[in-house]
Structures are given as structure tokens and as C-alpha cells.
Amino acid sequence: MYQIKYSESFASSLSQTITYWQMDLGFSDDTIQNYIPLISKNIHLLSDFPFISQDVETVK
């Protein structure tokens, strides 16, 4: 199992995405709250299966 480290850029990007969902798409807080566990689940799956996704650490 690998340890997942959250970078500042990841946190910022996620925050910007959530703001986009709220402001531009008009998603309610309840709708967004439904997505948060799915995002978290997928991130934690990466610790068990790190080779199922692309390493985006250097992508800008």
C-alpha cells in the first residue's frame, strides 16, 4: 500500500472545481456533498492500486 500525499496545487484545483460546480453549474451543496465521498474513495483506491492512473504530479 502506498501513502497518498495531497499537494497544495491539488487542494487548490479541487477547491476551484467545487466553486465551478457551485457558481457556473448551479450545483446545490447537497449535490456536491454526494460527489465528495466518491472523490475521496477514488483517491484512496490509488493507494492500493497506484498503477491504474497516470502520474500527474508534473502536469501543469
Side-chain angles (χ1 to χ4, degrees):
M1 180 185 283
Y2 292 84
Q3 181 179 8
I4 301 293
K5 294 181 183 179
Y6 300 95
S7 66
E8 272 188 49
S9 63
F10 173 80
S12 176
S13 176
L14 183 56
S15 179
Q16 289 174 5
T17 298
I18 292 171
T19 299
Y20 170 75
W21 290 347
Q22 290 172 318
M23 304 304 243
D24 296 344
L25 301 179
F27 285 10
S28 68
D29 287 343
D30 288 339
T31 299
I32 292 170
Q33 288 300 320
N34 288 332
Y35 283 102
I36 300 302
L38 298 173
I39 294 168
S40 181
K41 179 182 174 183
N42 281 297
I43 290 169
H44 289 288
L45 281 172
L46 289 174
S47 70
D48 294 329
F49 306 102
F51 304 108
I52 63 171
S53 67
Q54 178 182 0
D55 180 1
V56 296
E57 184 177 36
T58 59
V59 175
K60 293 185 182 195

